[in-house]
Amino acid sequence: QVQLVESGGGLVEAGGSLRLSCAASGSIVSIGGVAWYRQAPGKQRELVAGLPSGGTTNYADSVKGRFTISRDNAKKTVSLQMNSLKPEDTAVYYCTLGVKKAWSGPENVYWGRGTQVTVSS
């Protein structure tokens, strides 16, 4: 079984910073694309940042220049550095990882349970 656990969320004032981390555990032989999504109350879940395996990062326009996604394949972790936070960044943030449990098997996408980020004005 593969599990993803996010951490680093919390309450911060506008202009502040937070660093989210996502740790994967379980039967993992490789990690492909990784990403962070968020869902604010009453809104649809949206892609915040993506980092394909061997590819280039992509960010939502609303976070470009403020957020940075990174990965450490050896540690099986994905991070999201969030700077200059705004009240509209308030949401539950989810990490996703494409995971292979066997070299000859498929890559499946797994989701974390989410971590709350609240930015006060």
Side-chain angles (χ1 to χ4, degrees):
Q1 197 59 273
V2 175
Q3 288 188 325
L4 306 183
V5 178
E6 297 105 334
S7 61
L11 174 63
V12 65
E13 292 184 351
S17 298
L18 283 174
R19 184 176 180 84
L20 305 183
S21 294
C22 174
S25 62
S27 301
I28 300 171
V29 297
S30 72
I31 297 175
V34 300
W36 286 91
Y37 287 76
R38 68 185 180 187
Q39 187 166 20
K43 294 187 177 181
Q44 289 188 331
R45 191 171 296 187
E46 64 172 349
L47 175 67
V48 176
L51 180 52
S53 178
T56 56
T57 56
N58 58 89
Y59 297 93
D61 288 342
S62 59
V63 307
K64 282 181 181 176
R66 300 188 298 123
F67 290 11
T68 303
I69 187 172
S70 60
R71 62 192 292 165
D72 186 328
N73 288 340
K75 294 182 178 179
K76 301 176 186 176
T77 59
V78 181
S79 298
L80 184 68
Q81 178 66 43
M82 306 186 295
N83 299 326
S84 302
L85 283 162
K86 304 175 181 180
E88 50 263 44
D89 294 318
T90 295
V92 177
Y93 285 71
Y94 302 86
C95 65
T96 71
L97 276 69
V99 171
K100 276 193 171 185
K101 299 172 68 175
W103 289 112
S104 60
E107 180 176 298
N108 295 313
V109 177
Y110 291 84
W111 288 76
R113 293 187 176 183
T115 184
Q116 177 70 47
V117 171
T118 303
V119 184
S120 63
S121 57

